[in-house]
Short mmCIF file of all heavy atoms in Angstrom, two decimals:
data_model
loop_
_atom_site.label_atom_id
_atom_site.label_comp_id
_atom_site.label_asym_id
_atom_site.label_seq_id
_atom_site.Cartn_x
_atom_site.Cartn_y
_atom_site.Cartn_z
N ASN A 48 68.70 4.81 -18.59
CA ASN A 48 69.52 5.68 -17.74
C ASN A 48 68.72 6.30 -16.59
O ASN A 48 69.20 7.17 -15.89
CB ASN A 48 70.18 6.79 -18.58
CG ASN A 48 69.15 7.65 -19.32
OD1 ASN A 48 67.95 7.45 -19.16
ND2 ASN A 48 69.61 8.58 -20.12
N GLN A 49 67.47 5.86 -16.42
CA GLN A 49 66.65 6.33 -15.30
C GLN A 49 66.69 5.33 -14.16
O GLN A 49 66.70 4.11 -14.38
CB GLN A 49 65.20 6.53 -15.73
CG GLN A 49 64.94 7.81 -16.52
CD GLN A 49 63.45 8.05 -16.71
OE1 GLN A 49 62.73 7.21 -17.25
NE2 GLN A 49 62.97 9.18 -16.25
N GLU A 50 66.70 5.86 -12.94
CA GLU A 50 66.72 5.01 -11.75
C GLU A 50 65.82 5.62 -10.69
O GLU A 50 65.84 6.83 -10.46
CB GLU A 50 68.15 4.89 -11.23
CG GLU A 50 68.31 3.96 -10.05
CD GLU A 50 69.76 3.80 -9.62
OE1 GLU A 50 70.61 3.54 -10.52
OE2 GLU A 50 70.05 3.95 -8.42
N LEU A 51 65.02 4.79 -10.06
CA LEU A 51 64.09 5.26 -9.03
C LEU A 51 64.11 4.29 -7.87
O LEU A 51 63.99 3.07 -8.06
CB LEU A 51 62.68 5.38 -9.60
CG LEU A 51 61.63 6.07 -8.72
CD1 LEU A 51 61.98 7.54 -8.51
CD2 LEU A 51 60.25 5.94 -9.34
N SER A 52 64.24 4.82 -6.67
CA SER A 52 64.35 3.97 -5.49
C SER A 52 63.29 4.35 -4.45
O SER A 52 63.02 5.53 -4.22
CB SER A 52 65.75 4.10 -4.87
OG SER A 52 65.91 3.23 -3.78
N PHE A 53 62.68 3.33 -3.85
CA PHE A 53 61.66 3.51 -2.81
C PHE A 53 62.17 2.91 -1.49
O PHE A 53 62.84 1.88 -1.50
CB PHE A 53 60.37 2.79 -3.17
CG PHE A 53 59.79 3.14 -4.52
CD1 PHE A 53 60.21 2.47 -5.66
CD2 PHE A 53 58.82 4.11 -4.64
CE1 PHE A 53 59.67 2.78 -6.90
CE2 PHE A 53 58.28 4.43 -5.87
CZ PHE A 53 58.71 3.77 -7.01
N SER A 54 61.79 3.52 -0.39
CA SER A 54 62.10 2.97 0.93
C SER A 54 60.85 3.00 1.79
O SER A 54 59.99 3.88 1.63
CB SER A 54 63.21 3.77 1.62
OG SER A 54 64.44 3.62 0.94
N LYS A 55 60.75 2.06 2.69
CA LYS A 55 59.62 2.02 3.61
C LYS A 55 59.97 2.81 4.86
O LYS A 55 60.93 2.49 5.57
CB LYS A 55 59.28 0.58 3.97
CG LYS A 55 57.87 0.40 4.50
CD LYS A 55 57.48 -1.06 4.54
CE LYS A 55 56.00 -1.21 4.83
NZ LYS A 55 55.59 -2.64 4.86
N ILE A 56 59.20 3.87 5.12
CA ILE A 56 59.45 4.77 6.25
C ILE A 56 58.21 4.81 7.12
O ILE A 56 57.13 5.21 6.66
CB ILE A 56 59.81 6.19 5.76
CG1 ILE A 56 61.03 6.14 4.83
CG2 ILE A 56 60.06 7.11 6.94
CD1 ILE A 56 61.34 7.46 4.17
N SER A 57 58.35 4.38 8.37
CA SER A 57 57.23 4.36 9.32
C SER A 57 56.00 3.67 8.73
O SER A 57 54.86 4.14 8.85
CB SER A 57 56.87 5.80 9.75
OG SER A 57 57.96 6.43 10.36
N GLY A 58 56.25 2.55 8.06
CA GLY A 58 55.16 1.75 7.53
C GLY A 58 54.61 2.18 6.18
O GLY A 58 53.70 1.54 5.65
N LYS A 59 55.14 3.27 5.60
CA LYS A 59 54.65 3.74 4.30
C LYS A 59 55.79 3.83 3.30
O LYS A 59 56.91 4.20 3.65
CB LYS A 59 53.99 5.12 4.45
CG LYS A 59 52.76 5.13 5.35
CD LYS A 59 51.85 6.30 5.05
CE LYS A 59 51.11 6.09 3.75
NZ LYS A 59 50.06 7.11 3.50
#
Side-chain angles (χ1 to χ4, degrees):
N48 59 3
Q49 283 189 302
E50 184 176 311
L51 189 65
S52 184
F53 306 86
S54 293
K55 200 167 190 180
I56 303 173
S57 300
K59 297 203 73 172

